[in-house]
Amino acid sequence: MTPICESVTEAGPGRGTGRFSTRTQIVLATCACAGVSAFVYAVDPHQHAVYPQCLLYNTTGIYCAGCGATRALHALLHGRFLEALHDNALFVTALPLLGYLAGSHALTAWRADAWPKIIIKDPGLVRRGIGFVMLMMGFMALRNLPGWPFDWLKPL
């Protein structure tokens, strides 16, 4: 079986892939995520139009898999889990997994002081990617169906 991640040796320890070291990039990305989270916490998407609008919904009236994710994040940051689940159930349920994957990738990079190489040709990684895309397409289809059980999947 081909490993999913290998340590990058070409760049050398601490050099990362650009101007900043790997650890500096991780710290900057963490600060950016904290800043975005603070902004979403402070600025209510229901009250302000500073957030980008969904192009698919604005042109066709169809909810995409990401519609309501900003409102869901705002509700989660304020401790309103059921409201967040109503705004975008897929985002809310996928957020812990995405956080774990990003955190483990960053921890691996921090320990090696170099970004791990991701091998795209790994069949397991490709299968999981296709499965997640199919899940997103299914969620998108279900939230656009009319009727009672599916109306709950539409954002508020």
Side-chain angles (χ1 to χ4, degrees):
M1 182 172 149
T2 308
I4 294 176
C5 293
E6 296 174 357
S7 182
V8 175
T9 55
E10 297 88 20
R15 293 196 197 124
T17 56
R19 182 182 316 179
F20 300 106
S21 72
T22 302
R23 291 180 177 163
T24 304
Q25 291 174 18
I26 293 170
V27 169
L28 290 174
T30 304
C31 290
C33 288
V36 167
S37 296
F39 182 80
V40 172
Y41 178 85
V43 182
D44 187 0
H46 295 285
Q47 304 293 327
H48 303 291
V50 297
Y51 298 103
Q53 300 292 313
C54 178
L55 185 61
L56 180 67
Y57 180 75
N58 284 342
T59 56
T60 64
I62 295 173
Y63 293 109
C64 73
C67 281
T70 306
R71 291 186 295 273
L73 180 60
H74 179 78
L76 275 177
L77 291 172
H78 286 273
R80 298 187 306 259
F81 182 74
L82 289 178
E83 181 183 332
L85 204 58
H86 189 284
D87 283 331
N88 193 319
L90 181 63
F91 174 75
V92 172
T93 55
L95 199 58
L97 175 64
L98 295 173
Y100 169 77
L101 291 174
S104 64
H105 188 72
L107 184 61
T108 302
W110 186 275
R111 286 181 178 155
D113 203 14
W115 287 107
K117 192 183 300 184
I118 298 175
I119 300 169
I120 303 296
K121 293 182 181 180
D122 179 37
L125 184 64
V126 173
R127 276 194 303 273
R128 288 189 297 269
I130 291 172
F132 190 70
V133 169
M134 296 299 288
L135 178 68
M136 287 175 53
M137 301 275 290
F139 177 69
M140 185 175 154
L142 288 175
R143 74 188 322 199
N144 286 292
L145 291 175
W148 169 73
F150 306 112
D151 286 340
W152 203 82
L153 295 174
K154 293 177 174 69
L156 296 173

